[in-house]
Amino acid sequence: QVQLVQSGAEVRKPGASVKVSCKASGYTFTSYYIHWLRQAPGQGLEWMGIINPNGGSTDYAQKFQGRLTLTSDTSTSTVYMELRSLRSEDTAVFYCARVEYCSSTSCLLGAFGIWGQGTMVTVSS
Amino acid sequence: DIVMTQSPDSLAVSLGERATINCKSSQSVLYSSNNKNNLAWYQQKPGQPPKLLIYWASTRESGVPDRFSGSGSGTDFTLTISSLQAEDVAVYYCQQFYSSPGTFGGGTKVEIK
């Protein structure tokens, strides 16, 4: 079955970086964009960025520009999310997700039908 | 960015009763060329990722019980749980996918009265 499996929880100090992985299975990896979203404790969902595993092109939310890098490895069907210069406000659960139903104009956007299980990242001194 | 506003923030409903959640977008998410509202609803239980319930504002995802229904068009949308079950206790989110970035409402927590 189609799955996205993420790496485990991380703890970092302020100013450090974190790299979270998202391994895809059950479908052709290069056929679907992968999005990253985050959810701070008790808060809502925030879109961070998108990567096209076929070629590696990316787009990031403005608030993460310069701190966020998404990469992909087609040999292992894995996408990586690296967030740098961490601060306490970055403490959150990070999710990778795949669009299942495309928007009316593009599959860059859509309803997310497949989600990773989430990775908790705690930033604390 | 399109702002999604949900109401209420929380509601308590008796088992078997109806629960209604509202979602309003700051601009229309109806794409006129295909007459589709680019709006989805998700259910999230503690410790789990969101689960897609409804897309195109009113199309139920496969496997979702028919007590869940979505309605509305343009800027105003509603998720209705016709007969609340214990397993429906969760936070519900709406999301627009009309324009990037796809944005979510703040969530509505549904509890048992």
Side-chain angles (χ1 to χ4, degrees):
Chain A
Q1 74 279 25
V2 176
Q3 277 191 102
L4 298 173
V5 178
Q6 298 181 222
S7 51
E10 304 273 11
V11 179
R12 294 287 185 274
K13 293 191 183 305
S17 299
V18 70
K19 194 169 187 177
V20 177
S21 67
C22 170
K23 183 174 176 60
S25 62
Y27 71 96
T28 303
F29 177 63
T30 52
S31 295
Y32 292 84
Y33 299 99
I34 293 292
H35 297 250
W36 286 86
L37 305 96
R38 76 175 183 181
Q39 186 172 38
Q43 302 300 307
L45 293 149
E46 179 179 33
W47 182 81
M48 299 178 67
I50 180 176
I51 183 166
N52 180 357
N54 186 13
S57 61
T58 57
D59 186 29
Y60 303 126
Q62 191 164 6
K63 73 178 290 185
F64 298 105
Q65 293 276 358
R67 285 209 300 146
L68 176 64
T69 300
L70 302 181
T71 55
S72 66
D73 182 346
T74 55
S75 68
T76 59
S77 299
T78 302
V79 171
Y80 298 92
M81 185 281 299
E82 182 179 31
L83 190 61
R84 299 177 295 279
S85 302
L86 290 167
R87 30 205 188 237
S88 58
E89 310 89 86
D90 292 317
T91 293
V93 177
F94 291 77
Y95 293 103
C96 58
R98 194 191 87 170
V99 164
E100 205 65 16
Y101 303 98
C102 299
S103 79
S104 296
T105 55
S106 166
C107 284
L108 287 169
L109 195 57
F112 299 112
I114 306 294
W115 294 73
Q117 82 275 22
T119 297
M120 181 71 209
V121 175
T122 303
V123 183
S124 173
S125 54
Chain B
D1 296 359
I2 296 177
V3 176
M4 307 299 290
T5 303
Q6 285 184 235
S7 62
D9 292 336
S10 65
L11 75 161
V13 175
S14 300
L15 288 172
E17 296 300 305
R18 180 185 301 260
T20 301
I21 300 168
N22 300 302
C23 174
K24 189 174 184 66
S25 57
S26 61
Q27 65 186 75
S28 177
V29 298
L30 173 64
Y31 190 67
S32 55
S33 296
N34 62 6
N35 202 37
K36 286 187 181 294
N37 287 284
N38 289 224
L39 188 285
W41 288 97
Y42 299 85
Q43 174 193 66
Q44 188 177 32
K45 297 181 179 179
Q48 297 183 18
K51 174 188 174 183
L52 178 64
L53 296 177
I54 303 274
Y55 58 97
W56 304 129
S58 61
T59 302
R60 209 176 297 116
E61 173 70 319
S62 175
V64 172
D66 60 8
R67 63 180 180 272
F68 292 92
S69 63
S71 62
S73 185
T75 61
D76 293 280
F77 301 91
T78 300
L79 175 70
T80 301
I81 310 173
S82 60
S83 176
L84 191 75
Q85 304 299 303
E87 60 265 33
D88 301 335
V89 169
V91 179
Y92 293 83
Y93 295 94
C94 60
Q95 177 223 358
Q96 67 80 18
F97 50 94
Y98 179 86
S99 69
S100 184
T103 45
F104 292 80
T108 296
K109 187 174 185 178
V110 174
E111 300 171 306
I112 305 294
K113 186 187 294 183

